[in-house]
Amino acid sequence: MVLSWFNPGLVLVLCRFLNHLKEDDVACEEAVSNSDLMLFHSLKPLLKKNRDRTLSSVLLESKLGADLSIIRDSILIGCSDRGSAHFCLDLGNTMFVFSAAVDATAVEEECAAMFVDLRKSFFLLSKSEAPLVSQALLRWHQTHRFCSFSGKPTKRNRSGSQRFTEGSKVIHYPQMSPVVIALVHDGSRCLLGRQASFPPGFYSALAGFCDMGENVEETVRREVAEEVGLEVQSVTYSCSQHWPFPNSSFMIGCFAAISPAHSQLSVDHSELEDARWFDLRQIQAGLKIAPPKKGDPVVTWFPPRHAIGQWLIAEWAEQQRHHLT
């Protein structure tokens, strides 16, 4: 019987299993030959189209290519509830001596899938966590080949959970930059904004990086004041999410309450192209709108269901609905 991820005992076993693979190179080497492998090419994940036109990642059995030395360069990203390890591998990474021999088109044809830019395909992904984590780890390894302390080349452990230099006690771990994403509300409306780089009609919660020395509440208050000129009265935590764009970030989702009497916006157009208030009816309508295709009329739409931006918007809408009933 396959147990659920919500089984506390199973979660404990799998967490310890993954930690063992990260710390034991021999055990990790044994696991990779009988694991599931997610392929990338130049940081583009191998994705397949589903019947509903969404995209999903492709997991291959690495034992099918166990005779190839390339799987030794794969990176541990997790495991299934059956205890099968999951690894990812970038076939187009120039650090690999075999990369020139890899034919991306042949791989796509063999797997009936395609290498797709993750940022562009994000709104079509049916499940996004594995590609997000994988791409972030692959990019980190590609950009940290030298030690920032000594300048010497770094090596990775078998799992890819760390990098180090020979004869040095300095260990480098993948890092994430803390970012707050705040849904501002005045009790009956919520505030959404858009940057000029966003797709047409796309609106989301306000977000910004934490400055050195700031806590979450201070960052929320500063970002809201800078971007839309509002004074935040209270901040409550909601949820969090890893985010790889443009580099690996740790998104901290919050609700930021302001006074209805002081809700006049003063948008900093160097930060945002636009920001506006939405009532419950507008939010409920927007949550039903799928990302428009190229050439479609411009409509107001929100982040996809697996993005923290929509989690915040949907949670606020649900709270409002209960409050009104």
Side-chain angles (χ1 to χ4, degrees):
M1 181 179 70
V2 179
L3 299 178
S4 166
W5 272 98
F6 294 102
N7 184 309
L10 177 62
V11 172
L12 175 62
V13 170
L14 295 181
C15 285
R16 289 185 171 178
F17 169 67
L18 283 174
N19 189 58
H20 177 59
L21 296 185
K22 291 177 181 178
E23 296 183 348
D24 190 323
D25 284 356
V26 175
C28 191
E29 186 67 32
E30 293 175 352
V32 74
S33 62
N34 192 33
S35 64
D36 294 320
L37 191 64
M38 180 178 294
L39 295 181
F40 283 70
H41 194 283
S42 300
L43 295 178
K44 296 180 180 180
L46 185 66
L47 304 175
K48 63 179 179 180
K49 286 186 177 181
N50 302 315
R51 292 183 177 180
D52 61 358
R53 296 185 179 180
T54 61
L55 299 174
S56 58
S57 55
V58 178
L59 283 176
L60 305 174
E61 293 184 1
S62 64
K63 62 184 179 183
L64 297 177
D67 58 326
L68 300 177
S69 62
I70 62 174
I71 64 174
R72 293 180 176 272
D73 293 297
S74 58
I75 296 172
L76 179 68
I77 57 173
C79 68
S80 70
D81 55 4
R82 296 178 183 272
S84 174
H86 292 171
F87 289 77
C88 66
L89 175 69
D90 194 330
L91 301 176
N93 189 346
T94 55
M95 77 165 66
F96 301 144
V97 296
F98 59 82
S99 61
V102 175
D103 187 339
T105 302
V107 174
E108 291 176 325
E109 292 177 353
E110 178 69 22
C111 300
M114 55 188 173
F115 292 106
V116 185
D117 182 89
L118 185 55
R119 182 187 285 270
K120 293 180 180 179
S121 64
F122 180 69
F123 296 110
L124 296 176
L125 281 169
S126 56
K127 293 182 180 179
S128 64
E129 288 305 317
L132 293 178
V133 174
S134 303
Q135 190 191 65
L137 282 171
L138 290 167
R139 184 190 292 112
W140 181 79
H141 279 283
Q142 293 177 19
T143 58
H144 287 74
R145 303 178 195 175
F146 296 90
C147 177
S148 58
F149 293 92
S150 66
K152 297 180 179 179
T154 59
K155 295 183 177 181
R156 45 162 284 192
N157 64 344
R158 180 59 196 86
S159 70
S161 63
Q162 60 182 248
R163 298 188 72 87
F164 58 91
T165 56
E166 295 285 357
S168 173
K169 295 182 179 180
V170 177
I171 299 177
H172 300 275
Y173 297 95
Q175 297 177 336
M176 297 189 293
S177 300
V179 176
V180 297
I181 177 167
L183 189 67
V184 180
H185 65 92
D186 67 356
S188 62
R189 303 175 299 171
C190 70
L191 179 69
L192 302 178
R194 57 171 282 107
Q195 298 176 8
S197 60
F198 284 1
F202 179 74
Y203 281 78
S204 186
L206 307 184
F209 287 95
C210 296
D211 277 350
M212 183 64 70
E214 283 185 331
N215 60 33
V216 171
E217 293 81 3
E218 290 169 338
T219 303
V220 170
R221 290 188 170 93
R222 174 182 55 78
E223 284 291 336
V224 173
E226 289 176 355
E227 294 188 357
V228 292
L230 297 177
E231 183 177 348
V232 173
Q233 293 183 322
S234 64
V235 178
T236 55
Y237 170 79
S238 172
C239 52
S240 61
Q241 182 183 39
H242 166 255
W243 193 256
F245 311 121
N247 294 303
S248 192
S249 299
F250 179 59
M251 306 293 291
I252 306 167
C254 301
F255 292 104
I258 68 146
S259 169
H262 300 89
S263 60
Q264 182 65 40
L265 301 180
S266 176
V267 179
D268 180 354
H269 290 288
S270 66
E271 296 275 353
L272 298 174
E273 181 181 77
D274 185 35
R276 64 179 71 169
W277 289 104
F278 293 80
D279 59 26
L280 178 59
R281 179 186 59 80
Q282 293 171 315
I283 290 295
Q284 290 174 326
L287 288 172
K288 297 177 182 178
I289 297 177
K293 299 178 181 178
K294 186 176 181 180
D296 288 350
V298 176
V299 295
T300 299
W301 56 292
F302 305 145
R305 62 183 180 274
H306 43 256
I308 190 172
Q310 189 183 102
W311 302 350
L312 292 171
I313 296 170
E315 183 178 345
W316 178 85
E318 185 65 15
Q319 292 174 349
Q320 286 295 109
R321 191 180 67 82
H322 280 293
H323 178 72
L324 295 174
T325 56

